[in-house]
Amino acid sequence: MAIIGAGLAGLSCATRLQTLGFQVQVYEKSRGPSGRMSTRHGEGWSADHGAQYFTARDPVFIEALNTWIKAGVAANWNPRLSVYEGGQWRESNSTKHRYVGIPAMNAPGQYLAKTISIEFNQTIDKIYQQDEKWFLHSLENGDITQSFDYLVLAIPAPQSRTLAKLVDHSIEAVCSSVKMQGCWTVMARFSEKMHMPFDAAFINNEIISWISRNHSKPGRTGQETWTIHATPLWSQQRIELDREDAGKLILESVKKLGLNCQNAEISIHRWRYASGAINTEMGFILHEDNKLSLCGDWLNGGRVEGAWLSGYQLASAIHISAALNT
């Protein structure tokens, strides 16, 4: 069994498959696991620059979350939360329970990855099937000699489409229907604490959608750091903008809201595929004929919980399919 992608969906799928008795090999193009549950580290600072928190509703996911909390890699986050809309600030009346990884958002992914065989820095740029076996080609290392009975694509829809278009036109069609949007993100590091009346804020009808004090989350140390997300629509319309130009516009917007980053050290990140989900929540895709499957948040509502459930439910479906065909 091969899985391409070590984000939360891929990790969830891999751990569940291993529990069910499958041998699993994961390939990931990045240096580490967790995908968009990501944390940027520097000298004396860190910032969650992808997913900012997650919620839990499904009993199966809540059970997994409780395991993470017990292991010390996740905790409840209770920020002072505000909303900015129509030129006015107000306190948020949200009663959601929000959770974060500790000491960083990538901690749950790293926890799951410990028990999985993962090859990092492996960009799979070609897949093909021969004699009912799946074969992979890596941009970095060429042909991978090992073959696989099952193949799971646990990557964003556009990347899945690129890989699947030559081997499964039905998957290409589904992936093409998903309009994923990017996200420009700014991380601002301060030498002293910024006195803001909130720890995090939802921003409506501006070019930015979210700002958050990283240190308000449990387990964070180092310099005071704030994460600023631009809106998906604004980001997508300017996805090819120069990094510095995008950052300048975002910082001008956040300054109007009271966070002056003039003396901050700035890091800028572009998420090319940050949000977007299929209209009907399929959960996952399993093709029993060629044993090619897909999972990911974009197939299951677009949230962290949806990503985990997509991988978990796909693994269970593969187990049932394999049992019926033996």
Side-chain angles (χ1 to χ4, degrees), residues 13-262:
C13 189
T15 52
R16 176 65 173 161
L17 284 167
Q18 284 192 164
T19 300
L20 294 170
F22 289 83
Q23 288 186 316
V24 181
Q25 178 62 53
V26 179
Y27 296 93
E28 167 59 45
K29 69 175 183 177
S30 302
R31 294 178 298 174
S34 296
R36 282 167 284 157
M37 286 183 70
S38 188
T39 304
R40 176 75 61 85
H41 293 277
E43 187 174 345
W45 68 275
S46 66
D48 299 327
H49 64 303
Q52 294 295 290
Y53 63 86
F54 58 93
T55 56
R57 303 170 189 173
D58 187 278
V60 180
F61 181 62
I62 291 172
E63 185 178 346
L65 170 59
N66 288 334
T67 302
W68 300 349
I69 292 172
K70 187 176 180 179
V73 296
N76 196 34
W77 178 42
N78 294 302
R80 295 175 300 155
L81 192 60
S82 293
V83 177
Y84 182 84
E85 186 170 29
Q88 300 291 326
W89 283 103
R90 60 177 171 84
E91 288 187 16
S92 170
N93 57 11
S94 171
T95 58
K96 284 183 180 178
H97 290 284
R98 293 174 172 81
Y99 300 90
V100 296
I102 55 171
M105 277 301 290
N106 58 11
Q110 291 179 340
Y111 172 75
L112 293 175
K114 288 180 180 178
T115 61
I116 305 167
S117 176
I118 306 178
E119 289 194 26
F120 295 106
N121 299 305
Q122 291 281 353
T123 306
I124 304 303
D125 59 356
K126 182 182 178 182
I127 60 174
Y128 62 96
Q129 195 173 33
Q130 186 174 313
D131 298 327
E132 298 186 348
K133 297 282 188 179
W134 283 102
F135 293 86
L136 313 179
H137 181 277
S138 162
L139 180 65
E140 292 82 4
N141 295 334
D143 287 325
I144 292 170
T145 56
Q146 187 178 1
S147 62
F148 304 94
D149 293 324
Y150 288 85
L151 176 59
V152 174
L153 306 183
I155 51 181
Q159 296 171 346
S160 295
R161 177 182 179 273
T162 299
L163 282 179
K165 64 183 180 181
L166 296 179
V167 297
D168 193 317
H169 294 301
S170 65
I171 285 179
E172 181 190 8
V174 171
C175 294
S176 298
S177 71
V178 182
K179 305 303 180 187
M180 297 199 75
Q181 295 182 307
C183 179
W184 279 107
T185 299
V186 169
M187 293 152 275
R189 309 187 299 281
F190 299 88
S191 58
E192 56 188 29
K193 184 175 180 178
M194 301 300 291
H195 296 285
M196 300 292 287
F198 54 81
D199 296 316
F202 294 104
I203 313 299
N204 297 327
N205 304 317
E206 302 288 338
I207 73 169
I208 63 174
S209 61
W210 170 263
I211 53 179
S212 172
R213 185 200 308 269
N214 207 62
H215 281 60
S216 66
K217 300 176 181 179
R220 271 58 175 177
T221 59
Q223 284 181 279
E224 167 109 349
T225 310
W226 287 74
T227 297
I228 308 158
H229 281 326
T231 70
L233 179 60
W234 185 91
S235 296
Q236 188 60 38
Q237 289 174 343
R238 295 159 181 82
I239 200 67
E240 301 300 342
L241 200 62
D242 179 80
R243 186 184 303 268
E244 300 303 321
D245 292 338
K248 181 179 178 182
L249 293 170
I250 292 168
L251 291 172
E252 287 174 356
S253 179
V254 80
K255 183 179 180 180
K256 296 174 184 176
L257 302 176
L259 183 62
N260 189 341
C261 300
Q262 182 178 351

Side-chain angles (χ1 to χ4, degrees), residues 274-293:
S275 61
I278 200 163
N279 288 334
T280 55
E281 293 180 12
M282 302 172 70
F284 58 85
I285 296 174
L286 168 59
H287 285 188
E288 297 187 29
D289 53 347
N290 62 8
K291 298 179 180 178
L292 175 63
S293 304

